[in-house]
Amino acid sequence: MTRLLSLILALLLPLAAHAQGGGERKPVTILISIDGFRADYLDRGITPNLSRLAAEGAHGKLRPSFPTKTFPNHYAIVTGKRPDNNGIVGNNMIDPRRPGVRFSLGDPKQSLDPFWWDEAEPAWVTANRAGVRSATMFWPGSEVEIHESRPPDWLRYDEHVGYAQRVNTVLDWMRRPADIRPAFVTLYFEAVDDAGHKFGPDSAEVNAAISEVDTRVGDLVAGLTAMGQPMQMVVVADHGMRAIDESRVIQLADLIDLPSIVAVETGPYAAIEPAAGTDDRVYKALLKPHDHMTCRRREELPERLHYGRNPRVAAIICIAEPGWSILAGVPTWPVKGGAHGYDNQDPEMLALFVANGTGLKGDVGIVDNIEVYPLLMRLIGVAPLPSDATGELANRLR
Ligand code: AMP
Ligand code: ZN
Ligand code: ZN
């Protein structure tokens, strides 16, 4: 009897939801980022929800853009432009037009200033202009008024907002009347990256974070299904994660006296400016061969990195051998656990890609993360702006 009852309910619920929503529900496109979800985490057998979306839909591995950091890659995914062209060339960066100022993701005075973001236009801005309503449950850049526009619904990033609350916020948006219901939504989770940094990619803590986020993705799908809301899901990560330790450290202080450089970024890669632009000693000391690290002038980086033409890229870029850390003096963070930022050819930097919806089927292999943009734009029905993407992923998933 109870089984019969639940069967009847299952049949009636979507109808009730349909009536409540008023009219046929159009599919919503949901872009989820699981920060630092390395591509192979999906093979750990601990992600029933993501694995089901992948098995019934499309999956592959995203090659991040260099540098394999959070802000440059989140912006690449929603603009289709690599960091050199989207303007977010690092989590930390400088600009010759703003002498003495440094952008860093923890400093809202700079990170919320459109000056840094205006070199590209994220999908939600283009969508809104085309009349497709967007809502962002966190995404780097979504708090910023880019090209004089913010998503109609957005929230100031706060890592303390719980994951159930994030999912419920999205579900609440979808319960709205059709005229103010979003058609494109972003959702962001940081726990897998946080645990990866603190405990390393092979830790029990990372697995716990993976399970937690997977459960929340399941809750979202269940909630949307219960309200009869059709969905197109695109689940990505910005980069992978690699184990680091104190025994694999390159100390810049051993190569050059630290006051003669400004280290804009250190870790898996270092972005270095000579403190006095004309100081040839810095170039001499850094540009020679080193163990476990390659340093180049920004004009001489390998073409495949597509990096160095933007004036925000520091004069010298040093890239550590995967697993090694470049330090400038005593680090402000412990050199243990995990890190990312290495060459984007490093297989451990590869990131999650799962898509589920009409026409989204099969294994797409390894694709550059800028290719997500044309796919997204097709799913939300808005013409993409010119970008660095070729459209190969969008063409493949038809
Ligand atoms: P990363 O240093 O590259 O590992 O950056 C990851 C961190 O970026 C996460 O731990 C988040 O706390 C932080 N983050 C993510 N989104 C935002 C945002 N919109 N504003 C500021 N910080 C963010
Ligand atoms: Zn990240
Ligand atoms: Zn990280």
Side-chain angles (χ1 to χ4, degrees):
M1 181 59 200
T2 37
R3 272 177 67 190
L4 184 65
L5 201 65
S6 51
L7 185 69
I8 293 168
L9 271 175
L11 288 170
L12 289 182
L13 262 177
L15 289 177
H18 183 113
Q20 182 194 27
E24 185 80 7
R25 277 180 173 268
K26 292 198 195 112
V28 60
T29 301
I30 304 197
L31 174 65
I32 303 178
S33 164
I34 310 178
D35 198 311
F37 193 115
R38 201 168 74 187
D40 64 286
Y41 289 173
L42 202 58
D43 305 327
R44 293 188 173 181
I46 53 174
T47 50
N49 294 293
L50 287 166
S51 297
R52 182 167 31 80
L53 290 176
E56 292 169 3
H59 62 101
K61 297 175 196 270
L62 290 186
R63 182 185 295 109
S65 304
F66 182 80
T68 53
K69 292 281 188 182
T70 297
F71 269 39
N73 279 288
H74 276 87
Y75 212 39
I77 288 165
V78 294
T79 62
K81 292 184 171 187
R82 297 192 173 93
D84 237 10
N85 290 330
N86 74 31
I88 305 297
V89 304
N91 279 350
N92 297 288
M93 56 182 166
I94 48 165
D95 189 305
R97 292 163 294 181
R98 286 209 170 168
V101 167
R102 184 189 297 217
F103 172 106
S104 79
L105 72 182
D107 169 17
K109 193 165 178 307
Q110 292 307 318
S111 71
L112 300 182
D113 187 331
F115 168 79
W116 299 99
W117 301 88
D118 270 346
E119 291 182 19
E121 183 169 294
W124 57 79
V125 172
T126 317
N128 283 327
R129 203 182 301 116
V132 173
R133 192 178 170 107
S134 308
T136 50
M137 183 59 254
F138 300 155
W139 196 275
S142 62
E143 307 114 295
V144 187
E145 201 174 296
I146 301 169
H147 295 178
E148 286 155 21
S149 173
R150 279 201 188 93
D153 294 286
W154 63 277
L155 294 107
R156 178 68 59 84
Y157 177 68
D158 178 358
E159 61 191 10
H160 300 109
V161 176
Y163 289 2
Q165 193 180 334
R166 296 184 199 190
V167 167
N168 285 333
T169 299
V170 173
L171 292 174
D172 283 343
W173 284 336
M174 299 317 298
R175 281 190 195 98
R176 287 178 177 169
D179 57 335
I180 54 163
R181 190 187 300 150
F184 171 47
V185 174
T186 73
L187 173 60
Y188 171 82
F189 299 108
E190 65 282 87
V192 175
D193 182 72
D194 285 350
H197 283 295
K198 285 197 196 103
F199 305 103
D202 298 316
S203 60
E205 288 84 352
V206 162
N207 286 351
I210 292 171
S211 297
E212 187 196 355
V213 174
D214 181 76
T215 303
R216 296 305 173 192
V217 171
D219 293 346
L220 176 66
V221 173
L224 293 170
T225 307
M227 69 176 87
Q229 173 62 57
M231 65 198 103
Q232 313 256 30
M233 308 287 277
V234 179
V235 192
V236 300
D238 47 352
H239 50 71
M241 187 64 69
R242 189 179 257 282
I244 57 166
D245 59 67
E246 278 172 339
S247 72
R248 291 176 292 168
V249 160
I250 304 140
Q251 181 52 259
L252 293 175
D254 295 341
L255 306 172
I256 183 83
D257 56 309
L258 291 180
S260 38
I261 60 168
V262 177
V264 181
E265 183 77 70
T266 53
Y269 86 101
I272 299 162
E273 285 284 333
T278 49
D279 191 347
D280 276 343
R281 290 179 319 120
V282 173
Y283 291 93
K284 274 211 188 85
L286 292 179
L287 295 176
K288 62 186 186 197
H290 307 282
D291 291 339
H292 313 297
M293 165 175 91
T294 308
C295 298
R296 291 196 180 85
R297 288 178 193 271
R298 67 164 198 226
E299 299 85 2
E300 288 162 7
L301 290 165
E303 186 51 39
R304 63 179 178 77
L305 294 178
H306 303 279
Y307 194 67
R309 290 193 187 91
N310 194 302
R312 293 175 181 172
V313 177
I316 301 171
I317 298 295
C318 301
I319 306 179
E321 182 184 321
W324 287 71
S325 302
I326 307 170
L327 305 182
V330 182
T332 51
W333 78 100
V335 185
K336 61 176 192 186
H340 53 87
Y342 297 106
D343 193 322
N344 63 350
Q345 259 187 345
D346 176 12
E348 296 198 17
M349 292 300 104
L350 290 175
L352 173 75
F353 175 74
V354 168
N356 190 292
T358 313
L360 307 174
K361 294 266 178 293
D363 184 350
V364 298
I366 298 176
V367 281
D368 288 350
N369 68 353
I370 48 170
E371 299 296 339
V372 172
Y373 173 73
L375 173 67
L376 261 186
M377 297 308 270
R378 195 191 74 216
L379 294 177
I380 63 182
V382 175
L385 296 179
S387 75
D388 296 328
T390 63
E392 59 168 304
L393 180 64
N395 291 338
R396 171 80 204 271
L397 297 177
R398 280 201 183 276

